[in-house]
Every structure is written in C-alpha cells, then in structure tokens.
C-alpha cells in the first residue's frame, strides 16, 4: 500500500511537470538554433564560429571524430593514451589557467576525443596557436609513453577496486564480447603493457588528422580575425593518408544465463542487466531515451528504499548500437521483467518526454553541432526535433522491440562459504 501511494504521488507530480513543460516547450524549441559561420580549410578541417561581444571569454572545442572504439583488439587503451599525450603534463594545464586566464580539459569516450579550452579574449590567438601546435605537431616518444602508460595503469587500478566499475564492465563484456563497446576504454593491465609509442604514432596518423576533426569557437572574438588565425595555425595539420574503417563485425548473440563474478570488496552485492540499445542517429533514439527514463522511474517507484537509492537505468547510445543497462546494489531482479512488459501510459510518456526535452535544451549550441558531425545526424537540431515529435505510439513500439532482444545479467557476490 505504501509503494502504491508513493507511485500515485509520482504520477501526479509527473502530470504537473508535463503540463508545465507543454506550455513552455513550444516557446523554447520552436526557435532555430543559432547558425555558426562555417568554413572548411584545404586540409579538410571543418570550422564553426559563433561570436558574442558580451562574453567574458573565448572557448574552443576541438572534436576528433574517433574514440576508444578504434582501439586495436588486445591493445585497449591506445586512444586514451593518445588523448593523454596531447598535453602530457600539468604544465600545459597551468599555462591555460595562469597565463591565458582560462581552462583546459580533454574528454575521451568510445566515439571521440575532444579538447575543451578557454582563455581571456586578449589571449585568444595565443590559445589557438598552442592548441594547433598540440594537435598538429604532437611529439610521441618512448619516455613520455611509458610515463602516460604508468599513470593510466594507476588510474585503472583504482577503477578495478570499485565494485560499480567492475560490474559495469562485466555486463558490457557479457553483452558485446570483443565488439568495441564490450572492451574497456582505459584498457586492462595486460593490454596496457602491450602498448608502446609506435602504437600511438599509428593511431595519430590514422585518426588525429585535420579531415577527421571539427573546431568550434564561441565567445568574445572577431570572426574574420579568428578564421585567419585558424587558417594560419591549423593549416599545416595533415590529412589522413589511410582509410579509417567505418564498420565493425557485429557481436554474436549474447548468452542469457546469469554470470556470477566476485566483487573486489567482499561485502558488496550488485546486479546488472543489459540489452542492446540503438545507435545515436537511429530513428528510435528519442523513443529509446523516453522509454528508459520511464523504466527507471518505474523501478524506483516499485523497489525498496535501499534499491531506489542505488538503482540506475543508463542508455548509452554510440556511433553504433549501444547499451541499455540496469543496475541495483541488492535485490531487484524480479522487478525488471514486469517494468519492461507493462505498456507505457500517457502520463509516463508526457513526463519522460518533458525530461528529455529539458536535458537536450541544456546542451550548448556548439556541442549540438559537434554531435551532428560525429554521429552523422541530419542537423544540429535533430535530437530536439525528434524529442518534440516522438509519440506515445513510437515509445510503445520501441518497447515492444526491446522486449524481444536478449538480455544479459551479471550478479556480483562473494562466493558462499563452505
């Protein structure tokens, strides 16, 4: 009875949120995204620029459209080490913060490597020159490679002591096998030891190239001056001379029998379930995001307080079909099946769609345009338009497809004492 009342309250709140967003959303999403000034250098580098004279700084995002999915099998961690080698020490980060009055961050995932940098407006040209030198003339040597590899191995050791990381990796491997998304982005202790500087040079020549990248500039700068500087500093960045593979052998059907693994911390018990998701540019992307939000809300409403605090549903869409995973710290296996099988109600749909629209509206314009390049979307506003037009029928149709996919499960628990 208590759970039923809680669920009823959640539905009422969801309805209220849906009504509010229904009134506000048209004003937000009917507007066209600000279009950048677009250019393309002779080396294939795509340039996007948005100028704002009122901004306090200038931000540059360099997106290389290849990530850890392109790690050679058995040498997982190559693309992460390549990203680490762009600015291999703290001195560079201190230069961006102390000398340029900005920041530096490098993000790596399965689909791309991205450099996020910023500076004061009067340091804009210095920032561009520094970034261009880092990506186009990046030195790779044995000594630095060893240092970076050791640092990544230390980071990996910390991750492998985390039960959540171990469970997540186990269920991904169970679902995908040797397919890229089943292999760890940071590698394994064994794979890291196989990587040397020659592997990084090969990855650089194949992927860290001008024709495989997009530069987005936003903030307080002059567009004409900015483009001249980009053409000057980035014009020497080489194009790729090797064909990059665009497809991978699809994974075999995943085993549906439960996999038991031992936790790194004996007291921890965790459950993971996973099923194949959609690609980032799939027509069902919006429907899948809405349904997984509904699934998480259902599980949290039906589960115990302990389960609800640690429960999650993740929908990780990539350039190729990704993964939908469900996690519990304890219990919960009996809830997943029913939560998947129940038809989606209009109240659930409206609340989840409103959530998706709110999430997408928070993404900055440059990120939307970069995603369009990486994931080959029909436009920078593709996600917003899909979220606006997705229907309850679309979500129920997608849910029906999802129920037919094989689901893998992993139980992390200490073996019983004899």
């Amino acid at each position: 009875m208590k759970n039923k009342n809680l669920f009823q309250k959640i539905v009422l709140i969801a309805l209220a949120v849906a009504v509010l967003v229904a009134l506000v959303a048209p004003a937000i999403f009917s507007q066209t995204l600000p279009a950048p000034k677009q250019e393309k250098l002779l080396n294939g580098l795509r340039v996007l620029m948005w100028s704002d004279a009122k901004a306090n700084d200038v931000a540059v995002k360099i997106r290389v459209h290849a990530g850890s999915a392109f790690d050679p099998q058995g040498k997982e961690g190559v693309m992460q080490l390549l990203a680490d080698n762009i600015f291999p020490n703290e001195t560079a980060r201190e230069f961006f913060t102390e000398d340029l009055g900005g920041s530096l961050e490098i993000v790596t995932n399965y689909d791309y490597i991205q450099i996020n940098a910023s500076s004061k407006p009067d340091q804009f040209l210095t920032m561009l020159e520094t970034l261009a030198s880092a990506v186009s003339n990046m030195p790779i040597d044995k000594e630095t490679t060893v240092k970076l590899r050791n640092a990544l191995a230390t980071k990996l050791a910390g991750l492998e002591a985390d039960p959540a990381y171990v469970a997540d990796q186990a269920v991904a491997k169970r679902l995908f096998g040797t397919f890229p998304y089943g292999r760890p982005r940071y590698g394994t202790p064994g794979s890291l030891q196989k990587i040397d500087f020659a592997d990084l040079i090969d990855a650089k020549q194949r992927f860290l190239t001008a024709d495989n990248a997009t530069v987005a500039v936003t903030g307080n700068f002059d567009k004409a001056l900015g483009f001249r500087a980009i053409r000057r500093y980035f014009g020497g960045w080489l194009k790729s001379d090797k064909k990059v593979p665009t497809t991978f052998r699809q994974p075999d059907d995943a085993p549906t029998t439960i996999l038991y693994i031992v936790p790194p911390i004996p007291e921890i018990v965790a459950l993971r379930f996973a099923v194949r998701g959609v690609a980032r540019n799939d027509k069902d992307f919006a429907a899948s995001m809405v349904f997984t939000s509904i699934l998480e809300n259902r599980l949290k409403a039906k589960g115990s307080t302990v389960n609800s605090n640690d429960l999650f549903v993740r929908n990780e869409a990539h350039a190729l079909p990704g993964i939908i995973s469900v996690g519990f710290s304890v219990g919960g296996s009996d809830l997943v099946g029913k939560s998947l099988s129940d038809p989606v109600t209009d109240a659930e749909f409206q609340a989840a769609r409103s959530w998706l629209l709110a999430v997408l509206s928070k993404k900055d314009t440059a990120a939307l345009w970069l995603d369009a390049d990486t994931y080959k979307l029909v436009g920078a506003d593709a996600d917003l338009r899909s979220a606006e037009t997705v229907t309850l029928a679309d979500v129920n149709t997608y849910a029906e497809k999802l129920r037919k996919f094989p689901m893998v499960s992993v139980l992390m628990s200490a073996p019983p004492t004899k």
Side-chain angles (χ1 to χ4, degrees):
M1 181 62 70
K2 184 177 179 181
N3 285 339
K4 182 178 179 181
N5 291 336
L6 176 61
F7 182 69
Q8 289 174 339
K9 290 180 180 178
I10 291 174
V11 171
L12 289 173
I13 294 172
L15 282 170
V17 171
V19 170
L20 178 61
V21 174
L23 294 173
V24 177
I28 298 175
F29 301 109
S30 62
Q31 300 178 10
T32 304
L33 286 175
K37 178 178 174 59
Q38 302 184 55
E39 301 285 355
K40 197 165 190 177
L41 303 190
L42 293 176
N43 57 8
L45 179 66
R46 181 163 152 81
V47 181
L48 308 172
M49 295 181 289
W50 294 264
S51 181
D52 179 4
K54 297 180 181 179
N56 295 322
D57 61 3
V58 185
V60 176
K61 300 179 189 294
I62 303 176
R63 172 81 65 91
V64 178
H65 306 294
S68 298
F70 290 96
D71 279 343
Q73 190 168 338
K75 292 187 176 181
E76 290 78 14
V78 164
M79 295 299 283
Q80 180 63 54
L81 286 173
L82 179 66
D84 293 343
N85 198 79
I86 296 173
F87 289 104
N89 54 59
E90 283 300 317
T91 303
R93 299 178 190 277
E94 292 172 358
F95 174 73
F96 275 83
T97 55
E98 296 177 6
D99 292 62
L100 303 185
S103 62
L104 175 68
E105 174 192 35
I106 300 179
V107 177
T108 311
N109 57 34
Y110 283 109
D111 299 318
Y112 59 79
I113 296 170
Q114 182 167 311
I115 304 170
N116 298 323
S118 67
S119 74
K120 294 178 180 178
D122 61 351
Q123 297 296 327
F124 171 50
L125 296 182
T126 302
M127 174 174 62
L128 282 181
E129 184 177 13
T130 303
L131 292 172
S133 178
V135 296
S136 62
N137 299 310
M138 179 175 66
I140 298 176
D141 57 59
K142 292 182 180 180
E143 182 180 357
T144 302
T145 300
V146 170
K147 289 180 180 178
L148 294 174
R149 190 178 63 197
N150 290 342
L152 184 56
T154 300
K155 179 177 182 177
L156 179 62
L159 290 172
E160 291 189 334
D162 179 2
Y165 175 84
V166 174
D168 291 343
Q169 290 300 317
V171 80
K173 183 177 181 180
R174 186 72 164 171
L175 183 65
F176 287 116
T178 58
F179 189 71
Y181 306 145
R183 298 187 277 134
R185 291 193 297 112
Y186 299 113
T188 65
S191 72
L192 293 182
Q193 288 304 310
K194 297 177 184 177
I195 299 171
D196 60 26
F197 78 105
D199 297 305
L200 300 193
I201 292 174
D202 180 65
K204 173 189 172 184
Q205 293 172 344
R206 296 178 64 203
F207 304 114
L208 196 66
T209 58
D211 53 338
N212 192 38
T214 303
V215 174
V217 187
T218 60
N220 190 349
F221 71 101
D222 178 81
K223 288 181 183 177
L225 174 62
F227 178 62
R228 289 198 301 270
I230 290 172
R231 187 170 54 190
R232 175 184 176 185
Y233 296 134
F234 288 87
W237 193 0
L238 297 179
K239 297 173 65 173
S240 175
D241 61 354
K242 294 182 180 180
K243 186 177 180 180
V244 176
T246 56
T247 59
F248 298 90
R249 178 184 176 275
Q250 292 298 304
D252 297 326
D253 290 340
T256 55
T257 54
I258 191 167
L259 173 68
Y260 295 89
I261 60 174
V262 178
I265 301 175
E267 295 79 11
I268 297 297
V269 177
L271 273 169
R272 292 290 188 274
F273 303 90
V275 65
R276 291 287 297 276
V278 299
R280 187 68 173 71
N281 63 358
D282 193 283
K283 64 181 180 61
D284 287 331
F285 173 69
S288 75
M289 293 296 291
V290 169
F291 181 70
T292 49
S293 174
I294 290 169
L295 178 60
E296 183 172 68
N297 289 334
R298 284 178 174 179
L299 291 170
K300 288 185 175 180
K302 294 177 181 179
S304 68
T305 303
V306 174
N307 288 337
S308 297
N309 290 338
D310 299 307
L311 181 151
F312 68 81
V313 178
R314 296 194 192 112
N315 188 343
E316 300 174 58
H318 298 294
L320 299 173
I323 178 174
I324 295 172
S325 56
V326 181
F328 297 88
S329 59
V330 291
S333 60
D334 56 330
L335 301 175
V336 176
K338 187 166 191 318
S339 295
L340 278 170
S341 63
D342 289 344
V344 176
T345 67
D346 186 64
E348 290 178 313
F349 166 72
Q350 294 294 344
R353 177 175 169 273
S354 298
W355 163 83
L356 178 59
L357 284 168
V359 169
L360 293 174
S361 70
K362 293 178 182 177
K363 294 190 71 171
D364 66 76
T365 300
L368 293 171
W369 280 81
L370 290 171
D371 282 353
D373 281 3
T374 298
Y375 300 109
K376 307 298 187 292
L377 305 180
V378 295
D381 61 350
D383 289 342
L384 290 169
R385 300 304 172 194
S386 296
E388 284 182 317
T389 58
V390 68
T391 66
L392 174 60
D394 294 333
V395 176
N396 272 316
T397 299
Y398 171 75
E400 187 61 32
K401 292 179 186 177
L402 192 67
R403 295 180 193 114
K404 297 176 182 178
F405 295 160
M407 178 179 289
V408 301
S409 53
V410 170
L411 173 61
M412 172 186 285
S413 179
T417 56
K418 297 182 179 179

